[in-house]
Amino acid sequence: MENQKTKEELNKEVVVRWFTHFWGETVDLSIIDEIAAPNMLLKYSLHEPRKGGEDIKAFMTDFRAAFPDLNFWGTADLIAEGDYVVGQWEGGGTHTGIAFGDFLAGSLPEATGRKMHFTGTTVLKVIDGKIVEEIGLDDGVTALTQLGLIKTV
């Protein structure tokens, strides 16, 4: 009898591809059409929630234009149960590009040269090989402080 992969193993494979091609060192926006559900929800505390492929593409296009060296990577094995996959990560980038106004806490003028490096945990829901939602809890306070959008005493 063939060794069939479990639903959890297949879902982890989808998430690894997403993390590599969407959040990794080089972005390939075609991954959105390939493995994101048409109404995918992307939600982190740093940004307004994004919904749907075009909105998510626009978000990442601007994020990468502002932070050309943006890169995130996993820091622990993925955990999967049912439709859900949980991943821990770290990453960041240097603001050497366009002005960026997508942070909920404020905007950056063009090319501040400020660096952000922070961590987070993400829960992704995968149904039939498509990512339906990605909801993350990031250490936004660290990132925003590093970028000068939150002042420390």
Side-chain angles (χ1 to χ4, degrees), residues 67-96:
F67 295 85
D69 64 346
L70 191 71
N71 185 18
F72 295 93
W73 55 91
T75 57
D77 291 340
L78 295 173
I79 300 167
E81 182 68 33
D83 294 333
Y84 294 93
V85 179
V86 178
Q88 292 178 295
W89 51 266
E90 70 176 279
T94 309
H95 182 235
T96 57

Side-chain angles (χ1 to χ4, degrees), residues 18 20 48 77 89-90 97 149:
W18 180 255
T20 301
E48 286 285 351
D77 291 340
W89 51 266
E90 70 176 279
L149 294 173

Side-chain angles (χ1 to χ4, degrees), residues 77-139:
D77 291 340
L78 295 173
I79 300 167
E81 182 68 33
D83 294 333
Y84 294 93
V85 179
V86 178
Q88 292 178 295
W89 51 266
E90 70 176 279
T94 309
H95 182 235
T96 57
I98 64 168
F100 190 67
D102 195 72
F103 293 122
L104 291 175
S107 298
L108 294 171
E110 187 176 351
T112 63
R114 295 182 184 135
K115 294 179 185 298
M116 63 176 181
H117 185 94
F118 60 108
T119 61
T121 302
T122 300
V123 179
L124 299 99
K125 185 174 185 180
V126 182
I127 297 179
D128 297 327
K130 300 281 188 180
I131 299 171
V132 175
E133 61 185 29
E134 174 178 356
I135 299 177
L137 182 61
D138 51 51
D139 186 7

